[in-house]
């Protein structure tokens, strides 16, 4: 039986008695360790405009064990040039304050918002040819759009200018050679655009009211990589997210979209690339949702709800108020939070369906509690009541305590004997190595 045959037989967690001995063997270790990287970086980005509040949301799907951090960068009056992930580029201008989520080794971002109310998310488009020369990554172009864009339309113009001048190229993985082109969704609550790029080429279109993008083109004509495009199932996810965001009524319903699986909420080992909340799982599912954003774009400020962690189906969305170019609270999570949460999630996924369902229900109940406790803060802020500062301080202490309690409540679980469990052990080893390397560095 070849590697693909082995994975299709084992990965669903069936016939465990037949392969329990296999998972203990050195052959299994060698098989998991020797499979070449075939990640697809499946992501989903959505938006919906409204009268008082507009919405932007994205699940960032990246390599498991690749930490992703939510960071704030204040406004800078002038910058002459900047070193992006691979190359230095000309800048010459003011830098907007931004709140972004970025893979720890990349200068750019997977998603973010700026002080002007512009929100941007990007997707991988798997097409040919591959642009391997190190230049700007799509994530770098996204950050440049946020830093310099004063509106959604202006951000598109900025991004197109950098694409034309420098082009997009270079590996999107720190440890593997992985290349793709990009699709971007840009919105400011008034106007929204989809921009697609290939090397130094680009094409964009304006969209209205609602929409979504995934790992499949909707503007530009590409020569698609049929293998990656088929495995990624981006076309199916885009149709699904577009339908769901049209029906969504509030931030709660959008969070549920970002937490959704193709089969409801069965165990993550049964996931596939149709899931919006993506779980890694060996050969054809080499990526997972590393962080999730749901943004409320209001008239005078934004509320950025983020998990700061992978797997939104078992993560609490926590609010951050971004107003007048400043994060006014609650405080952002520090580096190290992502890794701690990830280890607990991996422990959870080694358990049974019942354990997973129990924890997911606990998260759902806690999320409703968070909404109830955050409502007085939001109301006071919208009404211009100065009491919001005291309410925000109280809420910050509450959310910090609740979140820590939820993460620690995973405790120890009885491990299942499966190839999936063995795969999880490998991810744990990778995270420990990442933390050790950062500490020693």
């Amino acid at each position: 039986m070849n590697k693909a045959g082995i994975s299709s037989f084992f990965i669903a967690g069936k016939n465990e008695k037949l392969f329990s001995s296999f998972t203990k063997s050195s052959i299994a270790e060698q098989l998991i360790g020797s499979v070449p990287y075939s990640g697809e970086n499946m992501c989903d980005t959505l938006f919906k405009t409204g009268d008082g509040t507009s919405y932007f949301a994205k699940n960032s799907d990246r390599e498991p064990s690749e930490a992703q951090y939510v960071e704030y960068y204040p406004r800078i009056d002038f910058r002459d040039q900047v070193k992006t992930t691979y190359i230095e580029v000309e800048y010459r201008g003011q830098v907007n304050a931004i709140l972004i989520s970025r893979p720890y080794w990349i200068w750019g971002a997977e998603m973010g918002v700026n002080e002007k109310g512009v929100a941007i998310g990007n997707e991988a488009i798997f097409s040919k040819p591959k642009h391997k020369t190190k230049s700007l990554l799509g994530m770098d172009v996204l950050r440049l759009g946020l830093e310099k864009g004063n509106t959604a339309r202006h951000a598109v113009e900025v991004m197109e200018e950098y694409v034309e001048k420098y082009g997009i190229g270079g590996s999107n993985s720190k440890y593997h050679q992985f290349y793709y082109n990009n699709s971007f969704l840009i919105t400011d609550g008034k106007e929204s655009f989809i921009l697609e790029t290939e090397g130094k080429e680009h094409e964009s279109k304006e969209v209205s009211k609602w929409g979504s993008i995934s790992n499949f083109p909707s503007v530009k004509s590409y020569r698609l990589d049929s293998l990656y495009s088929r495995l990624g199932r981006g076309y199916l996810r885009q149709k699904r997210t577009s339908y769901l965001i049209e029906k969504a009524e509030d931030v709660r319903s959008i969070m549920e979209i970002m937490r959704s699986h193709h089969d409801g909420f069965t165990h993550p080992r049964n996931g596939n690339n149709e899931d919006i909340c993506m779980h890694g799982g060996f050969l054809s599912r080499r990526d997972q949702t590393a962080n999730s954003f749901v943004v409320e774009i209001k008239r005078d400020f934004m509320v950025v709800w983020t998990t700061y962690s992978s797997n939104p189906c078992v993560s609490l969305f926590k609010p951050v108020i971004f107003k007048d170019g400043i994060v006014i609270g609650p405080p952002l999570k520090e580096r190290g939070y992502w890794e701690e949460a990830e280890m607990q999630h991996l422990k959870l996924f080694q358990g049974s369906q019942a354990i997973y369902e129990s924890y997911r229900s606990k998260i759902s109940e806690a999320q409703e509690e968070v909404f109830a406790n955050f409502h007085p803060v939001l109301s006071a802020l919208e009404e211009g009541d100065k009491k919001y500062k005291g309410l925000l301080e109280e809420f910050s202490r509450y959310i910090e305590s609740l979140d820590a309690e939820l993460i620690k409540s995973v405790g120890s679980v009885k491990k299942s004997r499966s190839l999936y469990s063995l795969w999880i052990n490998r991810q744990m080893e990778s995270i420990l190595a990442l933390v050790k390397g950062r500490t020693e560095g």
Side-chain angles (χ1 to χ4, degrees):
M1 186 182 291
N2 60 25
K3 292 177 182 178
I6 290 172
S7 70
S8 63
F9 185 70
F10 288 161
I11 194 60
K14 300 174 181 177
N15 304 305
E16 293 208 10
K17 290 183 180 179
L18 295 176
F19 69 87
S20 61
S21 60
F22 173 85
T23 61
K24 299 175 185 177
S25 70
S26 60
I27 297 175
E29 292 282 350
Q30 291 170 17
L31 176 59
I32 290 179
S34 65
V35 174
Y37 181 70
S38 60
E40 291 84 28
N41 281 113
M42 269 68 70
C43 300
D44 297 282
T45 306
L46 309 76
F47 85 97
K48 186 170 188 175
T49 57
D51 293 333
T53 301
S54 295
Y55 302 97
F56 166 89
K58 179 181 173 179
N59 276 0
S60 167
D61 299 344
R62 299 282 302 175
E63 298 175 55
S65 75
E66 181 190 72
Q68 191 164 138
Y69 301 134
V70 177
E71 297 175 334
Y72 164 73
Y73 294 87
R75 184 187 306 127
I76 300 174
D77 289 337
F78 185 83
R79 177 191 282 161
D80 189 54
Q81 55 190 18
V82 65
K83 172 65 165 61
T84 61
T85 304
Y86 292 130
I87 64 169
E88 194 168 86
V89 299
E90 189 177 272
Y91 202 93
R92 296 187 181 177
Q94 178 180 292
V95 183
N96 291 323
I98 59 172
L99 183 62
I100 60 173
S101 181
R102 69 176 185 91
Y104 73 95
W105 64 279
I106 287 174
W107 179 82
E110 278 278 296
M111 51 206 175
V113 297
N114 72 15
E115 61 178 294
K116 306 295 177 59
V118 178
I120 310 178
N122 80 312
E123 310 287 328
I125 298 292
F126 307 112
S127 61
K128 299 178 181 179
K130 309 293 184 185
H131 298 275
K132 299 183 178 182
T133 301
K134 289 182 178 180
S135 186
L136 290 171
L137 293 179
M139 288 169 276
D140 297 332
V141 173
L142 185 155
R143 180 167 175 175
L144 288 165
L146 288 174
E147 288 191 341
K148 302 190 77 170
N150 296 322
T151 64
R153 185 179 294 274
H154 183 221
V156 172
E157 294 170 356
V158 168
M159 295 162 76
E160 289 176 337
E161 180 182 333
Y162 276 99
V163 168
E164 289 176 4
K165 187 169 185 177
Y166 297 98
I168 292 180
S171 178
N172 291 272
S173 170
K174 183 173 177 62
Y175 301 107
H176 310 280
Q177 298 304 305
F178 187 46
Y179 308 93
Y180 53 74
N181 289 298
N182 291 266
S183 176
F184 303 87
L185 194 156
I186 306 101
T187 185
D188 58 15
K190 301 180 185 71
E191 293 184 303
S192 304
F193 300 86
I194 295 173
L195 167 66
E196 293 180 348
T197 64
E198 182 177 16
K200 290 188 174 184
E201 298 177 0
H202 58 81
E203 194 168 334
S204 64
K205 73 173 182 181
E206 186 171 359
V207 286
S208 61
K209 294 186 178 179
W210 69 81
S212 67
I213 57 173
S214 190
N215 309 106
F216 200 83
S218 55
V219 179
K220 196 176 185 304
S221 296
Y222 290 94
R223 185 160 64 92
L224 293 177
D225 184 315
S226 58
L227 175 62
Y228 280 125
S229 296
R230 202 168 293 152
L231 282 174
R233 303 189 184 182
Y235 175 72
L236 294 175
R237 282 182 290 107
Q238 192 278 328
K239 285 176 66 72
R240 181 177 167 206
T241 53
S242 182
Y243 171 80
L244 291 172
I245 192 64
E246 180 186 0
K247 305 297 181 185
E249 297 178 349
D250 54 21
V251 70
R252 280 183 177 84
S253 52
I254 296 175
M255 286 180 187
E256 288 309 302
I257 296 173
M258 311 318 282
R259 286 178 165 137
S260 66
H261 299 169
H262 78 285
D263 59 353
F265 288 101
T266 62
H267 197 284
R269 73 165 64 92
N270 300 323
N272 70 27
N273 291 335
E274 290 181 40
D275 295 339
I276 308 305
C277 174
M278 190 75 67
H279 294 267
F282 198 42
L283 284 174
S284 66
R285 289 188 292 126
R286 300 301 294 274
D287 294 329
Q288 70 169 359
T289 299
N291 190 24
S292 187
F293 258 34
V294 178
V295 182
E296 297 179 87
I297 305 173
K298 297 180 177 292
R299 186 168 285 104
D300 299 318
F301 62 94
M302 288 164 285
V303 180
V304 179
W305 295 85
T306 178
T307 58
Y308 294 96
S309 62
S310 69
N311 309 127
C313 68
V314 291
S315 295
L316 194 67
F317 280 93
K318 296 162 280 288
V320 178
I321 300 172
F322 190 32
K323 179 177 170 60
D324 298 328
I326 299 171
V327 171
I328 63 174
L332 300 182
K333 297 293 184 183
E334 296 181 356
R335 292 190 177 191
Y337 175 89
W338 190 96
E339 293 85 346
E340 179 187 359
E342 183 69 0
M343 292 295 284
Q344 297 304 313
H345 289 173
L346 290 170
K347 285 200 308 185
L348 176 69
F349 298 153
Q350 287 185 317
S352 65
Q353 171 74 24
I355 291 173
Y356 167 72
E357 287 182 352
S358 175
Y359 190 79
R360 191 182 66 78
S361 296
K362 188 184 294 186
I363 289 292
S364 182
E365 292 171 4
Q367 193 70 68
E368 286 303 313
E369 186 181 311
V370 169
F371 284 134
N373 281 275
F374 187 62
H375 180 71
V377 180
L378 197 56
S379 295
L381 183 62
E382 289 178 324
E383 294 167 7
D385 188 339
K386 293 182 179 180
K387 290 181 181 178
Y388 86 84
K389 293 182 179 180
L391 292 170
L392 182 58
E393 289 178 4
E394 184 179 340
F395 176 83
S396 298
R397 291 191 293 271
Y398 152 77
I399 192 73
E400 182 73 20
S401 175
L402 174 64
D403 194 45
E405 180 183 327
L406 284 168
I407 291 175
K408 291 177 181 177
S409 71
V410 173
S412 59
V413 299
K414 184 179 180 180
K415 298 179 182 179
S416 62
R417 293 189 296 176
S418 66
L419 195 61
Y420 181 74
S421 186
L422 188 61
W423 180 86
I424 285 178
N425 287 338
R426 281 299 181 95
Q427 304 315 309
M428 287 181 166
E429 291 172 6
S430 297
I431 293 166
L432 290 173
L434 175 67
V435 173
K436 182 181 179 182
R438 186 179 302 123
T439 303
E440 292 177 349

